[in-house]
Amino acid sequence: MDNHGFFQFVLYKLISISVQLVLLYIVVLGCEWFAQKKGYNIMERSFLVTLVTLPIITFIIWTIIIYRFKLF
């Protein structure tokens, strides 16, 4: 891989990770908005955010592992 290809690869990975983090942050803000609208307390809010974001994070980590080891 030459320098130009390496730079494009790093830039692509940086943008990809940034987009994923921004989308996850938007999901968390959506959960917070929904919890505020329903009038939940802090424990119910944290449970709601955990309930929604944990499967998403788990799915992202699993896809990274499957892709890295090329299981499929």
Side-chain angles (χ1 to χ4, degrees):
M1 181 182 301
D2 59 345
N3 287 340
H4 185 65
F6 180 72
F7 178 72
Q8 286 183 342
F9 173 76
V10 170
L11 188 62
Y12 169 75
K13 283 295 184 181
L14 182 64
I15 291 172
S16 174
I17 290 172
S18 298
V19 167
Q20 287 180 359
L21 287 175
V22 166
L23 291 175
L24 187 61
Y25 186 66
I26 289 172
V27 168
V28 169
L29 287 179
C31 291
E32 284 289 333
W33 173 80
F34 180 76
Q36 178 69 25
K37 185 176 174 183
K38 293 290 185 178
Y40 293 157
N41 63 19
I42 191 70
M43 292 302 289
E44 291 169 334
R45 284 184 188 190
S46 62
F47 178 72
L48 179 66
V49 169
T50 303
L51 189 68
V52 171
T53 58
L54 192 61
I56 295 171
I57 293 173
T58 304
F59 179 72
I60 290 170
I61 291 172
W62 281 354
T63 55
I64 290 170
I65 291 170
I66 288 171
Y67 176 75
R68 177 141 322 182
F69 293 117
K70 298 183 181 10
L71 297 177
F72 292 108

